[in-house]
Amino acid sequence: MFQKPRGTNDIYLEAIDDFNYVCERLKYIANLYNFHQIITPTFESLDLFIKNIGEQTDIVHKEVYSFKDKGDRWLALRPEGTAGVVRSYVENKLYANQNEVSKFWYILNLFRYERPQKGRNREFYQFGVEYLGSNSKLDIIDCIVFANSILKLLGLKNYELKINYLGDKETRDKWIDDLKQYFSKFKDDLTKDSINRLDKNPLRILDDKIDGEKDFVKNAPKLTAHLDDQSLNDFKTIQNHLTSLGIQYQVDESLVRGLDYYNNCVFEFVSTNDELSKSTIIGGGCYDELIKNTGGPDLKGLGFAIGIERLIIALKAESLITLPNKNIEYLVASLNSEDDLLAFAISTKLKNKGVNSDYIYTNKKQKINKYAYLINAKNIIWVDENSNTSNKILIEDLASNEKKELNINDIFNLKGINNE
Ligand code: HAM
């Protein structure tokens, strides 16, 4: 017997209803914000991710699914959506003749070789948005407000917003040098993982699950010491706007995000629900250099992505997924094998007229009633041994238990059936 690969999911029955419910709500909200959908390829050149996410990040270094295709090209299953969307924006010159910011949303499946646990999979789904060609410092406020209103519109209460300011690349490089010097003094107290990161990616030591809790890591040099007046001012303005819009936040100086393309403001919405033990539901921020680094013009971008599986866990923990009852208008049932074709024809004709219906063939009445209950049928159309000759069927309203005899053709004149 075959089994699905570790860290992947089959999504069916209630789980697919939850998934579709959440995706529909997210699409609806994206429309309210005037974003346009984009679908990019499931795999891209490996270099796109190495260059943009960063060779030394965990995502590229440890988690990317890469392979050589039959044409000897190095490709990778996308570990995130931003790099591909930006590649498409640049390749298709979507910035041409456009003064306005291009706003895209996506729902994509993504792949990361991570250790699977609740809310962490090797194939998972994200709803993401990107503002490309951003020309206003206010876009970051719009972006955070957008992310916040998604959680609000879905009714979620148990979450916190964390923000930080990373400055530009030069600022970050200076800070990274500081951190390298500082952590090298504590080599004996760091985990093996952190020692490996010390030279290449010391930022990850700050949010390491084990080392991040240690006092000397909490007291490590802060980025703010390197921020210039303009950056400090911009960060203050963002905070003032959030406060005046009534959005609660915490400044978290250890929030560095796991992708190298970010600069300036970054943010995360973290679940405070026990079910998700403080995991991040939404992550995002600004990427001023990404469009240029992908070969496009010097335009800024920003965005965020929501982990759909984590969002579903958070919504369920607060009982916020209420699926509408799915009704089948008519179940066409034949008790006699000679009438099967007639029952099938009636059901097909109903569907062709836009009425949802199903059919069942069995000589056991009890089975028919059980199936009608299971699929939430409103009516049963009983086709019996006389129907073919008499042209008559019995229609039973399952709410009132009322039964009516009808001419077969009269079924299609019933209320709600389109006869155009
Ligand atoms: P990220 O923080 O890597 O950002 O991922 C965003 C969200 O995807 C996370 O907060 C989490 O909810 C979900 N997620 C990440 N990894 C997994 C996993 N292995 N299993 C389940 N869910 C997961 C990005 O991907 C950026 N591209 C976001 C962005 C868009 N920034 C700007 N624009």
Side-chain angles (χ1 to χ4, degrees):
M1 196 180 58
F2 292 106
Q3 288 186 334
K4 59 186 162 46
R6 194 162 132 76
T8 63
N9 282 310
D10 298 316
I11 312 174
Y12 53 89
L13 295 178
E14 283 133 50
I16 196 70
D17 288 340
D18 293 344
F19 184 87
N20 285 333
Y21 165 83
V22 168
C23 290
E24 285 313 315
R25 295 295 308 270
L26 292 168
K27 285 181 199 171
Y28 171 80
I29 301 168
N31 264 330
L32 293 180
Y33 274 75
N34 194 26
F35 277 62
H36 300 276
Q37 187 177 8
I38 184 164
I39 298 177
T40 59
T42 307
F43 53 87
E44 300 266 359
S45 78
L46 173 63
D47 273 352
L48 175 76
F49 301 117
I50 293 181
K51 190 158 180 242
N52 290 330
I53 299 173
E55 192 159 12
Q56 296 310 328
T57 57
D58 282 356
I59 294 182
V60 167
H61 192 60
K62 293 192 191 159
E63 297 165 5
V64 83
Y65 281 87
S66 56
F67 58 97
K68 240 183 189 182
D69 75 357
K70 291 190 168 62
D72 234 16
R73 303 170 193 89
W74 271 107
L75 299 170
L77 298 182
R78 56 183 172 213
E80 58 105 49
T82 312
V85 172
V86 169
R87 195 263 316 129
S88 173
Y89 175 75
V90 171
E91 182 176 343
N92 297 304
K93 297 194 170 55
L94 300 178
Y95 48 80
N97 305 323
Q98 184 150 2
N99 299 319
E100 295 303 318
V101 48
S102 300
K103 298 177 182 179
F104 290 109
W105 69 264
Y106 49 83
I107 291 177
L108 300 176
N109 56 339
L110 306 165
F111 308 86
R112 295 185 192 175
Y113 188 77
E114 295 204 72
R115 190 173 304 148
Q117 51 181 267
K118 194 167 192 183
R120 175 169 300 144
N121 311 309
R122 292 186 174 167
E123 183 183 22
F124 62 99
Y125 289 81
Q126 272 184 359
F127 166 87
V129 304
E130 311 295 346
Y131 299 61
L132 304 175
S134 159
N135 48 22
S136 160
K137 284 188 176 169
L138 268 184
D139 282 341
I140 184 65
I141 305 293
D142 192 68
C143 188
I144 297 175
V145 169
F146 184 3
N148 188 56
S149 39
I150 288 178
L151 300 184
K152 282 252 149 0
L153 284 166
L154 290 169
L156 209 68
K157 293 204 171 58
N158 299 330
Y159 65 88
E160 283 168 355
L161 165 63
K162 296 184 171 177
I163 59 172
N164 195 18
Y165 206 81
L166 302 178
D168 57 13
K169 191 169 177 317
E170 212 178 298
T171 313
R172 240 178 353 150
D173 286 347
K174 280 190 204 150
W175 180 43
I176 289 171
D177 282 344
D178 270 10
L179 288 174
K180 280 184 192 167
Q181 275 192 23
Y182 177 81
F183 286 133
S184 55
K185 288 188 262 167
F186 294 93
K187 257 189 178 161
D188 293 345
D189 304 307
L190 289 169
T191 59
K192 215 171 123 213
D193 259 1
S194 295
I195 293 174
N196 287 338
R197 288 167 175 150
L198 189 55
D199 252 358
K200 293 182 174 140
N201 195 6
L203 291 186
R204 301 294 329 162
I205 300 177
L206 297 174
D207 60 5
D208 182 86
K209 284 241 155 25
I210 300 166
D211 285 338
E213 296 301 314
K214 296 178 180 163
D215 281 347
F216 73 91
V217 176
K218 288 185 181 154
N219 295 329
K222 301 285 181 254
L223 174 85
T224 13
H226 296 287
L227 289 176
D228 61 19
D229 287 349
Q230 179 67 50
S231 299
L232 289 169
N233 226 358
D234 286 349
F235 193 30
K236 200 79 232 149
T237 310
I238 292 170
Q239 293 178 55
N240 290 341
H241 281 319
L242 291 177
T243 307
S244 51
L245 289 166
I247 296 180
Q248 289 184 355
Y249 63 88
Q250 289 165 24
V251 175
D252 179 351
E253 291 194 65
S254 70
L255 180 67
V256 286
R257 308 276 300 124
L259 306 106
D260 277 359
Y261 53 62
Y262 290 113
N263 65 336
N264 295 342
C265 190
V266 289
F267 63 90
E268 284 187 356
F269 287 82
V270 178
S271 171
T272 51
N273 204 297
D274 288 345
E275 290 284 321
L276 273 168
S277 55
K278 293 255 170 200
S279 39
T280 306
I281 306 177
I282 304 183
C286 303
Y287 43 83
D288 290 3
E289 312 274 317
L290 184 58
I291 296 174
K292 192 171 69 187
N293 290 343
T294 311
D298 190 2
L299 293 171
K300 297 176 178 167
L302 63 155
F304 65 81
I306 307 179
I308 294 181
E309 290 83 352
R310 289 191 198 175
L311 179 61
I312 291 173
I313 297 171
L315 290 171
K316 289 188 90 130
E318 294 186 39
S319 308
L320 290 169
I321 299 189
T322 39
L323 299 172
N325 272 345
K326 200 171 158 191
N327 287 319
I328 288 289
E329 202 68 36
Y330 295 101
L331 172 64
V332 190
S334 97
L335 284 160
N336 187 325
S337 62
E338 276 129 57
D339 308 316
D340 289 355
L341 202 59
L342 180 61
F344 177 76
I346 294 172
S347 172
T348 304
K349 195 164 173 187
L350 283 166
K351 279 179 269 210
N352 288 344
K353 286 187 173 291
V355 180
N356 52 4
S357 68
D358 198 351
Y359 56 84
I360 181 168
Y361 315 128
T362 167
N363 55 6
K364 293 197 176 63
K365 255 189 160 177
Q366 213 185 356
K367 260 195 172 172
I368 294 173
N369 285 319
K370 210 166 155 187
Y371 186 61
Y373 177 77
L374 195 79
I375 63 170
N376 225 350
K378 286 189 185 164
N379 304 284
I380 299 180
I381 294 176
W382 295 98
V383 179
D384 67 16
E385 63 266 29
N386 300 320
S387 298
N388 258 318
T389 42
S390 67
N391 227 10
K392 296 247 163 45
I393 49 88
L394 202 65
I395 177 161
E396 179 178 356
D397 179 326
L398 292 173
S400 62
N401 287 330
E402 231 173 80
K403 292 188 183 121
K404 230 182 345 194
E405 198 178 54
L406 280 181
N407 250 326
I408 290 178
N409 279 335
D410 288 341
I411 304 172
F412 306 107
N413 295 325
L414 292 175
K415 217 171 121 214
I417 297 182
N418 177 10
N419 275 309
E420 292 302 296

